[in-house]
C-alpha cells in the first residue's frame, strides 16, 4: 500500500467560548485568536482575566479571503494551483477518515520541481494519495511518473526527488493552518522551506501558515529553517482543543453530572448520559459519556464505549459548561460527531422509545464446557488442523478455558518474536465444581428468579457482594489443590509468585471484549492459603456488580458464564507496561498502516490512569522506510526529552505486533476469508521486565480481536 501522511488528529467544537466574557463562540463583543505557546490571546481592548496571555513573536495574523477559484455548483476540479478562499480549500480537502480521533480537514499538495516548481493542491477526495494524483495528472511521455513502489522509495526519501510532497491541515478547534510532511519523509530544510513558501504565497491562509513537524527528524530540520518560517508543535495544537470525539454516535438519556470521586458509590444506568470531571477507571453501562478530562483511544472507558456502541467524548470545562448545565436533570439527545457535538432537550417518551429501539441484540456465547478436568499446558489448547481452521479452533477452546487463555494459546505458538510467559490453564470444570459443592449455584438460581434482586440495583449490589464474601471462604476441592501443587512444583519451582488471570467464556470475543469486567490476582506460593485466596478471588469476580450489569445489558445468560484461569509467573516490578493495537485506528482505509501504542513507566496503568497522568501515546509506522515514530502525547513520569521505551525496545515491540497481526489474520483478518475484514487489528497487552537479568525484556501478555472492526 502507498504511504500516507498522518491523519488529522484534532477537531473544532461548536461550543467554544470567548475567554474574555465566557460566552459561546458566536459572541460579537470580543474577537479571539490563537497564540502559539499560549492558550488564547484577546484581540479586543479592555479585556483581562481568565485566559489572557502575552502575545508571542509568532502571533497568527488575520486571514483575508480573496476571490474563489473553484466554480460554485460545478464538479470539483482535480486540482487548483492557488486557493483564493475557504470554499476552494473545502472542495479539495478530505474529511477525517475515522471517528475515534478529533477531526480536521486536510488537503495534499504537490510541488513539481521538474516543471518550474509548479504547485498543485490536489483533490484529496478524488485522489487519496500523492501517487494517485501525480500518476494521473502529472505523468507525461517526457516526464513519466514511476510505479507506486518506485514513487514511494524516491519521492519521500531521495534528495534529488522530482516532487516535494506534503499536506495542509486546518485544525479548526485552535484555528491552526499547518503544513505537514509524512512522518517517514526525509525532506531537508531546503525542501521544507521551498514548499512552505510556495503554499504561503498561493493561498489565502498563507500569512497564518505554520510548519508542523511530527517526528524527531522533522523537528531537527525545523531548527535549520529561517526565522520567518513559523512552526507549531503537536502539544501547542492540542492545547487549543476543547472537544475530543472518542466514539461517534447518538444517544438519548437522562443528563446527570457526577463527581468522579463519588462514582463508585452511585448507581448509573443505561438510560443515563453522564458528565464527569475526570476519566473514571470504570463505569457501568450508560447511554453516553462526557468527560472533562481528555482520554486516549485505548483508555478503559473508551474501549467499553466502543464495545457497547455508546457515544463518548471529552469536553474541556464540561462540568461548568453553561449549555450542559442548563439541561442537567433533563432528558436529552446527544450527538457526538467528528467535528462537533450537539445536545438538545427531548421528552421522556421520546427518550424511552429511542432507548428501547437502540438496545443491543443479545450477545451470543457458547455455554461453558465442563468435560475437561485437568490442568492444560497452554500450547495444547488451540491446535488448528486441515479440518479445523484457526478461527474454529479458538472458539472451540473458549467454553473450556475462556477467551483470554484460548487466544494466549495461539499467541504462545507464534515464535521467538512474540515472547510470552510460560503458562497453563485451569479449565471451567474446577470453577463449576467449586460453585456446586459449596451451594453457590443453587443460591444464584434463586437470586436470578427474584424480581426484587433483578429490579433493585442497591439490593443486587448487596447480594452479589455477600456472595463474593462467602465464595472467599468456600471449600476448595482437595484433588484440585493436589493437581495445582504438583503443577507449580514441577514447572514453576523457581517462581515465588504466581499470577492467576481471569478467563471467562464471555470475554475476548469478536464484538465483545468484556475488558475490565473481572480481576486477576497474585498468590505467594510459599503461603498456600494465599494461593487459594487468589484463585477464589478471581472465581468470585464473575459476580462483580459491574460484570453482572454488563452481561445483563448485553443479554448474556449469567448461568452460561464460568471462570477459567490463565496462570503464569507474576511481574512484581516491571520497567514498563502498555497496550497496543496492531493496526492504525486513526486510518481504517488501510492506506496508512501503523501500530498504535500506549506505554507507561513501571506498573502504572495505561488504561485506568490516575487523574492527571499522561502516557507515551505512539503511532509507529513499522512498515514504512525508516520506521518513524510519532508521539501523540508523552509520559509525565519520565524526564522531559526522554521516553518510556528506547528505539531498540520499540523495534522489538514492532516485530512482535507484526507477527501477532499476521498470526491471527487467519482467524479474524483478511486471511480468514470472512466478509467485512478488510481492516482488522488485534488488541494486545505487553510488559518490559528484566526478571533480575539486566536489560528489560519484552513479554506479551494478551491478544484479542479489536472491537468494532472486521465484523
Amino acid at each position: 500500500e502507498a504511504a500516507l501522511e498522518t491523519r488529522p488528529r484534532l477537531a473544532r467544537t461548536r461550543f467554544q467560548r470567548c475567554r474574555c466574557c465566557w460566552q459561546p463562540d458566536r459572541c460579537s463583543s470580543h474577537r479571539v485568536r490563537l497564540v502559539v505557546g499560549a492558550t488564547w490571546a484577546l484581540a479586543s481592548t479592555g479585556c483581562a482575566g481568565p485566559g489572557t496571555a502575552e502575545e508571542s513573536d509568532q502571533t497568527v495574523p488575520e486571514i483575508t479571503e480573496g476571490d474563489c477559484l473553484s466554480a460554485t455548483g460545478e464538479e470539483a476540479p482535480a486540482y487548483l494551483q492557488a486557493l483564493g478562499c475557504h470554499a476552494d480549500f473545502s472542495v479539495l480537502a478530505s474529511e477525517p477518515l475515522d471517528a475515534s480521533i478529533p477531526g480536521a480537514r486536510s488537503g495534499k499538495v504537490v510541488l513539481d520541481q521538474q516543471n518550474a516548481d509548479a504547485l498543485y493542491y490536489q483533490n484529496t477526495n478524488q485522489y487519496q494519495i500523492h501517487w494517485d494524483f501525480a500518476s494521473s495528472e502529472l505523468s507525461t511521455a517526457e516526464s513519466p511518473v514511476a510505479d507506486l513502489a518506485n514513487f514511494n522509495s524516491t519521492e519521500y526519501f531521495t534528495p534529488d526527488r522530482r516532487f516535494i510532497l506534503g499536506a495542509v491541515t486546518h485544525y479548526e478547534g485552535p484555528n491552526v493552518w499547518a503544513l505537514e510532511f509524512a512522518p517517514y519523509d526525509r525532506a531537508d530544510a531546503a525542501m521544507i522551506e521551498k514548499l512552505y513558501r510556495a503554499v504561503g504565497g498561493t493561498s489565502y491562509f498563507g500569512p497564518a501558515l505554520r510548519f508542523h513537524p511530527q517526528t524527531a527528524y522533522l523537528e531537527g530540520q525545523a531548527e535549520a529553517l529561517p526565522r520567518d518560517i513559523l512552526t507549531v508543535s503537536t502539544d501547542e495544537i492540542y492545547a487549543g482543543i476543547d472537544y475530543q470525539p472518542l466514539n461517534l454516535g447518538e444517544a438519548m438519556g437522562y443528563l446527570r453530572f457526577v463527581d468522579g470521586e463519588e462514582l463508585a458509590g452511585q448507581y448509573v444506568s443505561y438510560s443515563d448520559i453522564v458528565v464527569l470531571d475526570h476519566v473514571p477507571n470504570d463505569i457501568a453501562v450508560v447511554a453516553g459519556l462526557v468527560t472533562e478530562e481528555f482520554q486516549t483511544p485505548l483508555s478503559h472507558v473508551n474501549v467499553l464505549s466502543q464495545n457497547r456502541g455508546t457515544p463518548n467524548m471529552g469536553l474541556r470545562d464540561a462540568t461548568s459548561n453553561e449549555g450542559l448545565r442548563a439541561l442537567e436533570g433533563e432528558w436529552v439527545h446527544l450527538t457526538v460527531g467528528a467535528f462537533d457535538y450537539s445536545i438538545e432537550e427531548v421528552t421522556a417518551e421520546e427518550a424511552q422509545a429511542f432507548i428501547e429501539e437502540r438496545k443491543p441484540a443479545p450477545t451470543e456465547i457458547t455455554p461453558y464446557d465442563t468435560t475437561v478436568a485437568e490442568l492444560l499446558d497452554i500450547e495444547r489448547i488451540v491446535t488448528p488442523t486441515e479440518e479445523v481452521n484457526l478461527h474454529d479452533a479458538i472458539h472451540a477452546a473458549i467454553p473450556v478455558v475462556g477467551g483470554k487463555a484460548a487466544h494466549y494459546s495461539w499467541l504462545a505458538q507464534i515464535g521467538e518474536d512474540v515472547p510470552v510467559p510460560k503458562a497453563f490453564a485451569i479449565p471451567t470444570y474446577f470453577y463449576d465444581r467449586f460453585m456446586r459443592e459449596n451451594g453457590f449455584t443453587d443460591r444464584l438460581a434463586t437470586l436470578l428468579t427474584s424480581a426484587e434482586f433483578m429490579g433493585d440495583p442497591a439490593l443486587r449490589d448487596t447480594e452479589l457482594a455477600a456472595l463474593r464474601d462467602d465464595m472467599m471462604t468456600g471449600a476448595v476441592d482437595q484433588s484440585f489443590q493436589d493437581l495445582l501443587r504438583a503443577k507449580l512444583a514441577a514447572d514453576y519451582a523457581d517462581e515465588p509468585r504466581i499470577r492467576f488471570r481471569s478467563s471467562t467464556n464471555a470475554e475476548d470475543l469478536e464484538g465483545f471484549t468484556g475488558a475490565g469486567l473481572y480481576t486477576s490476582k497474585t498468590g505467594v506460593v510459599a503461603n498456600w492459603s494465599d494461593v487459594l485466596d487468589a484463585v477464589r478471588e478471581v472465581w468470585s469476580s464473575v459476580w462483580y456488580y459491574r460484570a453482572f450489569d454488563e452481561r445483563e445489558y448485553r443479554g448474556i445468560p449469567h448461568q452460561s458464564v464460568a471462570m477459567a484461569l490463565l496462570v503464569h509467573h507474576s511481574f512484581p516490578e516491571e520497567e514498563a507496561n502498555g497496550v497496543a493495537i496492531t493496526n492504525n485506528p486513526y486510518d481504517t482505509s488501510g492506506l496508512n498502516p501503523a501500530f498504535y501504542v500506549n506505554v507507561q513507566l513501571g506498573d502504572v496503568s495505561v488504561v485506568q490512569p490516575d487523574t492527571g497522568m499522561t502516557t507515551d501515546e505512539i503511532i509507529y509506522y513499522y512498515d514504512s522506510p525508516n520506521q518513524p515514530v510519532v508521539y501523540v502525547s508523552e509520559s509525565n513520569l519520565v524526564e522531559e526529552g526522554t521516553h518510556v521505551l528506547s528505539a531498540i525496545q520499540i523495534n522489538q515491540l514492532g516485530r512482535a505486533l507484526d507477527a501477532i497481526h499476521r498470526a491471527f489474520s487467519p482467524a479474524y483478518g483478511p486471511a480468514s476469508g470472512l466478509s467485512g475484514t478488510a481492516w482488522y487489528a488485534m488488541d494486545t497487552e505487553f510488559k518490559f521486565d528484566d526478571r533480575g537479568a539486566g536489560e528489560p525484556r519484552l513479554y506479551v501478555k494478551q491478544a484479542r480481536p479489536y472491537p468494532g472492526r472486521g465484523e
Side-chain angles (χ1 to χ4, degrees), residues 326-349:
L327 296 171
E328 183 178 3
E330 304 292 345
W331 294 97
V332 298
H333 180 196
L334 172 69
T335 301
V336 176
F339 285 101
D340 50 30
Y341 75 96
S342 65
I343 188 166
E344 59 184 356
E345 187 174 355
V346 296
T347 66
E349 292 75 19

Side-chain angles (χ1 to χ4, degrees), residues 285 308 512 517 546-554:
V285 181
R308 298 163 178 167
F512 182 71
L517 292 184
R546 255 273 293 111
F548 187 99
D549 198 43
E550 188 84 32
R551 293 195 301 266
E552 189 69 17
Y553 176 70
R554 297 300 295 252

Side-chain angles (χ1 to χ4, degrees), residues 10 26 36 68 149 178 181 210 295 300 310 329 338 458 511 531 542-543 597 674 689:
L10 311 171
R26 292 175 177 80
V36 175
C68 293
F181 284 70
R210 295 282 192 268
Q295 307 167 37
H300 183 54
T310 53
V531 170
V542 175
W543 303 106
V597 181
L674 302 175
D689 189 280

Side-chain angles (χ1 to χ4, degrees), residues 116-135:
D117 290 340
L119 181 69
Y120 302 89
Y121 296 90
Q122 74 184 59
N123 185 329
T124 309
N125 297 295
Q126 180 179 351
Y127 299 112
Q128 282 193 309
I129 59 177
H130 285 125
W131 178 81
D132 281 344
F133 171 77
S135 61

Side-chain angles (χ1 to χ4, degrees), residues 263-335:
L263 180 63
Q266 299 195 33
Y267 298 104
V268 294
S269 78
Y270 63 82
S271 62
D272 292 331
I273 294 175
V274 178
V275 182
L276 291 164
D277 55 347
H278 65 258
V279 180
N281 287 342
D282 202 0
I283 193 168
V285 181
V286 293
L289 183 64
V290 181
T291 62
E292 190 166 81
E293 186 179 48
F294 279 11
Q295 307 167 37
T296 69
L298 284 180
S299 67
H300 183 54
V301 293
N302 191 52
V303 172
L304 290 175
S305 297
Q306 290 179 323
N307 203 34
R308 298 163 178 167
T310 53
N312 176 28
M313 58 179 271
L315 182 68
R316 298 197 197 277
D317 302 325
T319 57
S320 58
N321 181 282
E322 294 177 1
L324 294 182
R325 280 293 183 183
L327 296 171
E328 183 178 3
E330 304 292 345
W331 294 97
V332 298
H333 180 196
L334 172 69
T335 301

Side-chain angles (χ1 to χ4, degrees), residues 157 183-186 215 593-595 618-631 647-648 650-655 658:
F157 302 101
Y184 35 79
D185 200 317
R186 307 310 273 185
T215 64
F595 298 142
I618 299 168
I619 305 172
Y620 182 24
Y621 294 88
Y622 179 83
D623 291 327
S624 301
N626 302 308
Q627 297 183 325
V629 176
V630 174
Y631 284 86
I648 292 175
I650 290 176
N651 182 260
Q652 290 172 346
L653 179 60
R655 293 201 307 271
D658 181 61

Side-chain angles (χ1 to χ4, degrees), residues 296 577-579 596-601 606 614-619 630-639 642-646 650 686:
T296 69
N577 80 101
V579 292
Y596 174 83
V597 181
N598 266 6
V599 63
Q600 184 59 285
L601 192 69
V606 296
T614 61
T615 67
D616 273 2
E617 186 180 346
I618 299 168
I619 305 172
V630 174
Y631 284 86
V632 180
S633 70
E634 298 179 332
S635 169
N636 56 7
L637 296 183
V638 298
E639 293 183 10
T642 66
H643 297 111
V644 175
L645 299 182
S646 68
I650 290 176
F686 63 89

